[in-house]
């Protein structure tokens, strides 16, 4: 969890996927769009921060006490009453930095979140989610699919181990325990199946039913290992 001392230096940082700045006159629509995008995009142990009281060019104007109170009420109303499912948040008023209001959004296990159009972060902008991204947000509610989609997002190398019969057109290597495996990354994942892409330069792809996959961790190679039954 981000501490106050970690949030304060963010005032001087440029906007990015996990950081947005708004002036004190920000309206509820802008707050809603940003917190929905953050809640739909933050993952792992990250947290996103909306800083209110900073101009477009990064100049800190701050907020009066009355503005800070009004902003906190507006954020609470947006997150709890105008978004579905409700979005978890916490607020820090940075009195040492002219009452800049920091709205911190943690990862959400209830995404996708809506307030009309679904939004996600793309670089330093909040953009409407495409059909593909929207579907991935829905699938991420499944813990197994969510983990695989996180691997896809991070372009992680996976060790895929096959158990049982497998298609003859995919050649697996064998480790010292005579288990067959290949190095892959997740190409696509939904509620029914996952598609893998080999990273050995061949570009070959294969798929497996989600229910046939067990996710574990290979301690020797220090990477995620997927055990696929029927391959």
């Amino acid at each position: 969890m981000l501490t106050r001392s970690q949030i304060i230096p963010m005032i001087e940082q440029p906007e990015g996927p996990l950081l947005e700045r708004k002036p004190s006159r920000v309206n509820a629509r802008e707050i809603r769009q940003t917190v929905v995008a953050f809640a739909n995009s933050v993952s792992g142990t990250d947290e996103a921060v909306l800083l209110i009281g900073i101009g477009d060019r990064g100049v800190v104007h701050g907020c009066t006490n009355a503005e800070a109170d009004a902003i906190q009420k507006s954020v609470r109303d947006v997150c709890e009453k105008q978004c579905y499912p409700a979005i978890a948040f916490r607020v820090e008023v940075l009195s040492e930095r002219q009452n800049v209001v920091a709205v911190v959004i943690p990862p959400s296990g209830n995404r996708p979140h809506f307030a009309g159009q679904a939004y996600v972060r793309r670089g330093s902008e909040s953009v409407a989610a495409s059909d593909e991204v929207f579907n991935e947000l829905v699938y991420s509610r499944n813990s197994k699919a969510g983990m695989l989609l996180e691997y896809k997002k991070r372009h992680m190398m996976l060790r895929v181990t096959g158990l049982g019969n497998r298609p003859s057109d995919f050649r697996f290597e064998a480790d010292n325990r005579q288990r067959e495996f290949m190095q892959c990354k997740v190409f696509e994942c939904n509620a029914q199946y996952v598609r893998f892409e080999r990273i050995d330069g061949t570009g070959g792809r294969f798929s497996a039913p989600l229910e046939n996959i067990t996710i574990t961790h290979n301690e020797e190679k220090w990477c995620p290992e997927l055990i696929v039954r029927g391959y």
Side-chain angles (χ1 to χ4, degrees):
M1 182 173 74
L2 288 171
T3 64
R4 190 183 185 90
S5 61
Q6 290 174 314
I7 294 171
I8 290 174
M10 292 182 175
I11 292 174
E12 314 299 335
Q13 296 174 7
E15 292 182 326
L18 301 179
L19 181 62
E20 177 91 0
R21 300 182 302 206
K22 296 290 184 186
S24 59
R25 62 180 181 276
V26 63
N27 58 46
R29 180 188 62 79
E30 294 173 308
I31 294 174
R32 187 168 58 242
Q33 179 176 323
T34 300
V35 298
V36 167
F38 278 156
N40 283 336
S41 302
V42 179
S43 60
T45 58
D46 292 332
E47 290 185 311
V49 180
L50 168 60
L51 296 171
I52 302 175
I54 303 177
D56 291 339
R57 296 186 178 181
V59 179
V60 179
H61 299 296
C63 305
T64 65
N65 289 336
E67 286 174 333
D69 288 342
I71 289 168
Q72 291 181 79
K73 291 177 182 177
S74 180
V75 169
R76 184 178 300 108
D77 184 70
V78 165
C79 291
E80 296 180 352
K81 298 179 181 179
Q82 299 182 31
C83 299
Y84 179 81
I87 293 174
F89 72 98
R90 73 178 192 276
V91 174
E92 295 271 1
V93 179
L94 308 177
S95 55
E96 59 269 69
R97 293 305 304 268
Q98 299 176 243
N99 279 358
V100 167
V101 177
V103 182
V104 183
I105 306 296
S108 173
N110 294 322
R111 61 185 188 181
H113 292 269
F114 302 95
Q117 174 70 58
Y119 292 91
V120 295
R121 293 293 282 183
R122 180 177 297 161
S124 61
E125 298 182 327
S126 299
V127 299
S130 66
D131 288 346
E132 178 183 2
V133 171
F134 173 78
N135 286 333
E136 288 188 354
L137 290 170
V138 174
Y139 301 145
S140 68
R141 287 192 174 184
N142 176 302
S143 58
K144 187 186 296 185
M147 187 172 292
L148 290 167
L149 287 167
E150 184 67 17
Y151 292 156
K152 176 189 175 189
K153 178 180 178 181
R154 296 178 183 271
H155 305 286
M156 290 183 66
M157 182 193 76
L158 308 172
R159 181 182 172 99
V160 179
T161 300
L163 297 179
N165 297 326
R166 56 180 168 79
S168 59
D169 53 340
F170 288 105
R171 294 180 175 272
F172 285 66
E173 302 175 57
D175 62 15
N176 55 13
R177 287 177 289 178
Q178 297 305 306
R179 295 188 309 171
E180 297 183 323
F181 71 93
M182 65 170 62
Q183 306 290 351
C184 304
K185 63 181 180 180
V186 176
F187 179 76
E188 178 186 357
C189 181
N190 57 39
Q192 286 76 41
Y193 62 87
V194 57
R195 296 177 67 199
F196 298 100
E197 183 173 73
R198 298 184 60 156
I199 59 175
D200 59 2
T202 65
R205 295 173 185 167
F206 67 100
S207 62
L210 197 61
E211 63 184 13
N212 287 9
I213 293 174
T214 299
I215 301 175
T216 183
H217 192 269
N218 188 293
E219 295 296 333
E220 293 179 10
K221 301 298 182 181
W222 197 249
C223 69
E225 181 168 18
L226 276 59
I227 299 173
V228 185
R229 297 188 305 277
Y231 282 75

